Amino acid sequence: MGNLKIYGIITVGALISASGISLFLAPSDIVAGGISGVGIILHSLFKFPIGVFMIIANIPIVFLGWKFVGRGFLAKTAYGTVMLSVFTDICSSFPPVTSDRLLASVFGGALVGAGMGLIFLIGATTGGVDVLAKILNKVFPSIDVGKCLFIIDFIIIFFGALIFSDVNLSLYGIISLLIASYLIDTFISGANSAKIAYIISDKHEKIACAIMNDLNRGLSGINVRGMYKNTTRIMLMCVLKKHELPRLRHIVSEADKNAFIIFIGAREVSGEGFKIYPIN
């Protein structure tokens, strides 16, 4: 993936996440964890710009990340941090979309999760607690990154409840956090997932040739025995991306309308013809 495309995706992801923060979460004082959550608290108390705080807070975090995690992530992380901070303050100049806190927590969390999912998908971050979680994982390997993120976000949400003296805001924040986390995981697992097709047909040679020529996918032929008729046949096994399934169905149907096909989901596939995205 070229650098222009990578930074373009980071820019779009940062804009989506920033709109969730500034147009939904911040106006309703919903703290959903992260550096942005601390920024929302400071903005509510002192009208301090959220984006400016995010840049200031991320300077030492990015430096620590460069030292503990590695230099490779620095450029994309720095760019993602700046873009998210700038877009957050730009979006804050627009009026909030809704005053309903439940709607704000749901849609704010969805936008933050979708934007972060795009950014994580190409191996970048926006700094903040995800980098802190990686640092903690380096220092304490027994605590995985997911648990570190949960601990840090929970502390920030709890701190927000104490500041605003409203437990309902914390519950809304947890809703946003869960939705964002789910969408991030969906983006990553969806990009790395595939389908395994098992095809049983007397026309297996014709079907195999068509799949290799039209879909450019390899196959394996497996000897199987049908217990009903006690006959040995060849079962084809092929791994495909989801968008290739309609074409596969058409190929098999053209060769043998009575072919038997089984589709099984594969959560993660890597190797020839498949690339695994860097952050899981």
Side-chain angles (χ1 to χ4, degrees):
M1 189 183 293
N3 282 336
L4 185 61
K5 186 175 182 179
I6 288 173
Y7 287 101
I9 291 174
I10 294 173
T11 303
V12 172
L15 178 58
I16 294 172
S17 291
S19 65
I21 294 169
S22 295
L23 300 181
F24 291 92
L25 300 180
S28 295
D29 293 332
I30 296 173
V31 178
I35 295 298
S36 62
V38 180
I40 289 172
I41 294 173
L42 294 178
H43 176 72
S44 180
L45 295 177
F46 310 111
K47 303 305 178 185
F48 195 86
I50 300 172
V52 173
F53 169 77
M54 289 165 66
I55 288 181
I56 295 172
N58 270 299
I59 291 173
I61 292 174
V62 171
F63 175 77
L64 288 172
W66 170 75
K67 184 176 180 180
F68 284 92
V69 181
R71 301 181 181 183
F73 91 109
L74 182 61
K76 289 186 288 187
T77 295
Y79 181 79
T81 299
V82 171
M83 286 295 98
L84 180 63
S85 302
V86 169
F87 285 139
T88 296
D89 281 348
I90 290 175
C91 290
S92 66
S93 62
F94 295 94
V97 174
T98 180
S99 59
D100 186 305
R101 280 178 167 163
L102 178 59
L103 291 176
S105 66
V106 171
F107 285 94
L111 287 170
V112 170
M116 291 299 178
L118 276 176
I119 294 171
F120 290 174
L121 197 61
I122 46 89
T125 75
T126 57
V129 297
D130 47 326
V131 177
L132 286 177
K134 287 179 178 291
I135 294 170
L136 286 174
N137 176 251
K138 287 280 185 179
V139 178
F140 305 103
S142 60
I143 305 177
D144 62 37
V145 174
K147 290 179 181 176
C148 292
L149 280 171
F150 175 80
I151 292 169
I152 296 170
D153 284 330
F154 181 80
I155 290 172
I156 293 171
I157 292 173
F158 180 73
F159 183 68
L162 292 179
I163 294 295
F164 295 124
S165 300
D166 188 348
V167 70
N168 288 332
L169 287 178
S170 293
L171 296 177
Y172 289 132
I174 291 172
I175 290 173
S176 294
L177 180 61
L178 291 175
I179 291 172
S181 299
Y182 174 78
L183 281 176
I184 290 171
D185 183 63
T186 300
F187 266 76
I188 302 302
S189 62
N192 289 328
S193 67
K195 289 287 186 179
I196 304 172
Y198 294 101
I199 307 162
I200 301 175
S201 169
D202 292 330
K203 307 281 183 65
H204 58 269
E205 292 285 355
K206 182 177 180 180
I207 293 171
C209 289
I211 291 173
M212 288 187 287
N213 292 330
D214 293 358
L215 288 177
N216 196 29
R217 291 292 183 193
L219 302 97
S220 296
I222 305 170
N223 288 317
V224 296
R225 178 178 291 277
M227 300 308 295
Y228 183 73
K229 294 184 178 180
N230 197 30
T231 56
T232 300
R233 309 170 77 179
I234 297 292
M235 179 176 69
L236 301 176
M237 184 190 78
C238 183
V239 181
L240 313 100
K241 285 294 187 180
K242 291 179 182 178
H243 69 270
E244 295 172 321
L245 296 184
R247 181 60 185 155
L248 175 72
R249 290 192 182 95
H250 179 72
I251 289 171
V252 174
S253 177
E254 278 194 330
D256 183 2
K257 293 187 181 298
N258 295 317
F260 189 69
I261 311 176
I262 302 171
F263 293 107
I264 298 176
R267 181 173 175 82
E268 192 171 287
V269 178
S270 64
E272 187 174 353
F274 294 87
K275 81 170 184 177
I276 186 163
Y277 288 87
I279 297 182
N280 51 44

